[in-house]
Amino acid sequence: MPQLGETVTEGTITKWHKQVGDSVAEDEVLFEVSTDKVDSEVPSPVAGTVTEILVPEGETVQVGAKLAVIGDSGGAAGAGGPAASDSVPQPDVSEPAPPEQARAVAPEEMEAVAKAETGPLGVGGQTGGTPETSPGARSGAAPGAGGSQRPVGRPTDQRPPSAPGNSGPGQSGPGKLLSPVVRRLIAENNLDPARISGSGAGGRITRDDVLAAISAQGSNGNGAAPAAGALASPAAAAAPAYSQAASVTPSTPAPQPGERDRVVPFTNIRRRTAEHMVRSKQTSAHTMVAVEVDYSAVEKVRNAEKSSFKAREGFSLTYLPFISRAVVDALAEFPYLNSSVGEDQLIVHSEVNLGIAVDLDFEGLLVPVVHRAEEKRLVALARDISGLASRARGKRLTMDDISGGTFTLTNAGGFGTFITVPVINQPQVAILSTDGVKKRPTVVTLPDGSDSIAIHPLGNLVMSWDHRAVDGAYAAAFMAKVRDILETRDWAAEL
């Protein structure tokens, strides 16, 4: 199992493209894997014949686990190659990433959604002048190549061992090395790892062990002692502020299907999205603010330039680049909304890495990221957004494409929505939803100062924001700035 991200510790094999006895070329897609970060098509590191498949479809395994064996072109395993029972070294994921790494990686724990990972509804293929993103969501990851026969998915990147004397939720005495996923679940549910029996290799605590402990805690009403030490991400660092609420487990039993009900099992991305949504609600003090925007200035330029723009660039000019440009410029004046909440502090990010939520054909969400968006003008933003959508459709997104977001845009306007209230993409502090644009009557001021009724394209922008980070006046002023930019800027000069 390849390491498809620094904090990824396990993956679920969703599809084998080759079976035992099939020939495979180097870099030809061998299998698909789903993680809490992204769904990926993984190419074969070598050419040869598949002689064994060790992990069936639907099974979840740890990073570093052997998945299959590829022999030479005749189907025989190469001499001296590892046997199917050989163990593969697994990376040490017990040490939390340093703050610089945590800030870059943690936002996409929501986007698997996406990382989300994650509440926002991104809609592809919009019509009627609404912002547009396109469905598609899987990425390719290329393990190393070489050799006549090797276990598929040998990790290419191992985490450094924990420093001596380092303590925290990832450690609690001998044999208590915890993965980031397990560490986060323990911290969020106020559990003591010393009181959890591990069923993994060498007594290692697995995610199932923690979920069982959470279930037992909810059934007997007794909370475990809090875990000590620093957490791995700015969002997790705020755990003391909400640990009591997070540890509350509903006492109502789970619904059971009736005879005429149809059961649809959660996919991996649906399950991850559910986890991230609940976690976001437990983490942030969600509040919302909405403004109505008159898109006349934008529509005038789009109508005049859309044919020449598409001929020149190869894709349509939608509302989304205009909104993205306005948001990025407004964040320069209101930087606290481009931040993460740390432990008794606000971490204001120096770059605007703009996430764009993309719907995966109603199967889940991903949030590709336009990095350093503050350095890009309208056309450059439009190109980046279109390129991310194209790579998503072609399953060519990389981990870099979905990592490091600091502010997210999401769109449900293709369905003509009026107001959509999205869930914050952790550990960001704000997410902005673009709703449907529709021609409606509105009052306008004429040059002589009198009022009149006119028909203009109007639509709402809605922002969910974390009240821990800023107050209502700050959020409202930011939205007013975004509206002012969209309504008054000379967009023709941008093109």
Side-chain angles (χ1 to χ4, degrees):
M1 174 64 66
Q3 181 100 40
L4 298 176
E6 187 175 9
T7 61
V8 174
T9 61
E10 63 183 16
T12 301
I13 304 300
T14 56
K15 181 178 180 180
W16 281 102
H17 287 259
K18 298 292 182 179
Q19 301 300 322
V20 173
D22 290 349
S23 297
V24 60
E26 183 176 347
D27 292 331
E28 183 180 3
V29 175
L30 183 59
F31 63 92
E32 294 181 15
V33 59
S34 179
T35 74
D36 62 352
K37 299 289 187 184
V38 68
D39 289 359
S40 302
E41 290 182 337
V42 180
S44 174
V46 294
T49 300
V50 179
T51 60
E52 292 182 85
I53 291 180
L54 307 176
V55 178
E57 293 178 359
E59 186 168 328
T60 301
V61 294
Q62 296 291 314
V63 167
K66 185 189 296 184
L67 305 179
V69 176
I70 297 177
D72 57 28
S73 57
S85 61
D86 288 348
S87 62
V88 178
Q90 297 196 13
D92 180 357
V93 293
S94 62
E95 183 183 16
E100 294 80 1
Q101 290 178 322
R103 180 170 65 82
V105 176
E108 303 317 317
E109 290 187 0
M110 240 347 154
E111 312 97 48
V113 286
K115 219 298 174 243
E117 231 263 4
T118 70
L121 173 63
V123 180
Q126 273 73 357
T127 59
T130 56
E132 179 180 298
T133 53
S134 302
R138 294 178 175 85
S139 69
S148 62
Q149 180 253 335
R150 67 173 64 182
V152 174
R154 186 180 295 274
T156 59
D157 178 37
Q158 295 195 4
R159 300 283 302 278
S162 299
N166 185 33
S167 63
Q171 296 174 299
S172 182
K176 292 293 184 181
L177 297 178
L178 309 178
S179 72
V181 173
V182 169
R183 191 165 57 236
R184 173 172 59 79
L185 286 173
I186 287 175
E188 289 180 354
N189 292 277
N190 204 25
L191 300 175
D192 181 0
R195 299 175 62 180
I196 302 175
S197 298
S199 61
R204 190 184 186 96
I205 297 175
T206 67
R207 189 165 70 115
D208 289 340
D209 297 330
V210 181
L211 294 177
I214 294 171
S215 177
Q217 175 179 290
S219 62
N220 62 29
N222 295 325
L231 301 180
S233 73
Y242 68 93
S243 58
Q244 184 176 0
S247 64
V248 175
T249 303
S251 58
T252 305
Q256 298 299 318
E259 292 182 0
R260 301 180 64 183
D261 294 332
R262 182 168 63 96
V263 176
V264 180
F266 273 9
T267 61
N268 185 59
I269 193 169
R270 182 81 271 142
R271 185 166 54 251
R272 300 298 190 186
T273 300
E275 293 173 357
H276 294 326
M277 294 302 94
V278 173
R279 172 172 166 252
S280 182
K281 283 290 189 176
Q282 292 174 340
T283 300
S284 295
H286 276 68
T287 318
M288 64 84 71
V289 60
V291 296
E292 184 180 60
V293 176
D294 186 335
Y295 286 95
S296 295
V298 174
E299 184 69 7
K300 180 180 179 181
V301 172
R302 287 184 67 246
N303 287 336
E305 299 289 341
K306 60 183 180 182
S307 297
S308 59
F309 183 91
K310 186 170 184 179
R312 183 174 68 252
E313 300 291 340
F315 57 89
S316 298
L317 180 61
T318 70
Y319 277 87
L320 191 55
F322 295 88
I323 298 171
S324 301
R325 181 81 161 101
V327 165
V328 170
D329 286 359
L331 285 174
E333 189 171 331
F334 298 90
Y336 289 178
L337 289 168
N338 189 56
S339 66
S340 299
V341 175
E343 189 168 7
D344 198 29
Q345 62 184 352
L346 192 65
I347 303 170
V348 182
H349 304 301
S350 59
E351 299 174 355
V352 179
N353 295 331
L354 192 64
I356 308 293
V358 178
D359 173 67
L360 310 181
D361 196 23
F362 302 145
E363 295 294 331
L365 291 170
L366 274 183
V367 185
V369 178
V370 178
H371 291 274
R372 305 185 75 166
E374 77 279 2
E375 299 178 357
K376 304 176 189 294
R377 291 173 63 85
L378 178 66
V379 175
L381 283 172
R383 288 169 180 163
D384 282 359
I385 292 170
S386 177
L388 287 170
S390 177
R391 291 199 295 277
R393 286 193 298 269
K395 301 179 181 181
R396 291 179 284 111
L397 290 175
T398 67
M399 284 304 301
D400 287 342
D401 290 331
I402 60 171
S403 298
T406 60
F407 189 100
T408 295
L409 294 181
T410 182
N411 168 57
F415 297 104
T417 55
F418 182 67
I419 288 181
T420 303
V421 184
V423 178
I424 296 170
N425 186 4
Q426 296 296 325
Q428 300 167 24
V429 300
I431 177 171
L432 188 143
S433 174
T434 61
D435 284 292
V437 178
K438 186 177 182 180
K439 289 184 177 180
R440 296 197 296 268
T442 186
V443 176
V444 297
T445 302
L446 299 177
D448 62 3
S450 61
D451 293 334
S452 181
I453 301 295
I455 306 298
H456 284 192
L458 306 177
N460 291 323
L461 295 178
V462 183
M463 184 175 71
S464 293
W465 48 280
D466 190 340
H467 214 320
R468 298 176 304 166
V470 299
D471 295 324
Y474 193 93
F478 167 78
M479 293 295 283
K481 183 65 176 180
V482 173
R483 178 182 58 198
D484 181 66
I485 293 172
L486 286 168
E487 292 181 347
T488 63
R489 176 165 291 178
D490 180 7
W491 291 109
E494 290 267 341
L495 292 173

